Amino acid sequence: MQERLNALIHTTVTGLGYELWGFEYRPYAESALLRIFIDSPNGITVDDCGKVSNQLGAALDVEDLIPVAYVLEVSSPGVDRVLFTPEQYQRYIGEKLKVRTQLPVQARRNFVGVLCAATAEAITLELEDGSCEIPYAVIDRGRLVYEMKTTPKKGKRSGAHS
């Protein structure tokens, strides 16, 4: 089922002219959540998400790949984007990440650090207390940590009037 679901999502999203950034499928006892992340060089609008949601929802209903009631969410990856593939991790070397693992690595499951390497098998994070290699096989979720860059406006002083 996972392979057919992956193919249907990929075909539908790319067929509409968008990049499939990734997706999460979370089955529960009597329901499921299917979260799709789409991207485009021009950015993603609410209309883009609606178009993909309508098309994909219809295709999923026809193919009947999800055996329970499900919620379909379509969004852009955002500035704090979830990373799914080694290639995506490689794009963000030097950036700050938050990673949660399925199993403990060095006696922990939650990490925040700067991504200093990404191979085909694992990532290496530089943490406050050293570095840590985390295999993709144990990563539950990895995402960018958005840090707003603030620069003071030049030529303005608070409380001063001309």
Side-chain angles (χ1 to χ4, degrees):
M1 179 205 115
Q2 187 73 24
E3 196 172 296
R4 288 179 56 211
L5 183 61
N6 188 17
L8 178 67
I9 293 168
H10 187 270
T11 301
T12 303
V13 170
T14 57
L16 290 170
Y18 303 102
E19 175 190 355
L20 175 62
W21 184 259
F23 72 91
E24 299 172 331
Y25 176 65
R26 307 267 185 199
Y28 302 105
E30 296 180 18
S31 66
L33 171 64
L34 180 57
R35 186 176 290 134
I36 313 291
F37 298 98
I38 60 174
D39 209 354
S40 160
N42 302 323
I44 295 297
T45 66
V46 172
D47 289 341
D48 295 327
C49 294
K51 187 187 309 182
V52 171
S53 181
N54 291 336
Q55 190 77 21
L56 187 56
L60 286 166
D61 290 346
V62 168
E63 294 294 322
D64 199 26
L65 294 178
I66 302 176
V68 294
Y70 65 92
V71 173
L72 174 61
E73 294 179 2
V74 178
S75 72
S76 78
V79 292
D80 61 343
R81 55 188 57 209
V82 176
L83 303 176
F84 293 93
T85 66
E87 294 78 20
Q88 289 172 346
Y89 280 93
Q90 289 164 1
R91 281 190 204 177
Y92 293 101
I93 289 175
E95 299 291 330
K96 191 172 189 178
L97 297 184
K98 183 175 185 178
V99 176
R100 181 178 67 221
T101 60
Q102 299 163 354
L103 303 168
V105 174
Q106 294 183 359
R108 351 175 354 187
R109 291 187 53 212
N110 293 296
F111 302 86
V112 176
V114 175
L115 179 63
C116 51
T119 66
E121 293 82 32
I123 63 170
T124 303
L125 291 179
E126 189 61 44
L127 310 170
E128 287 182 9
D129 57 349
S131 65
C132 179
E133 183 174 281
I134 306 170
Y136 294 114
V138 300
I139 294 176
D140 182 42
R141 178 177 251 212
R143 71 178 326 131
L144 292 176
V145 173
Y146 177 69
E147 295 179 317
M148 193 157 85
K149 311 272 191 268
T150 57
T151 55
K153 291 185 179 179
K154 292 187 168 119
K156 298 223 176 196
R157 293 188 318 197
S158 62
H161 297 287
S162 307

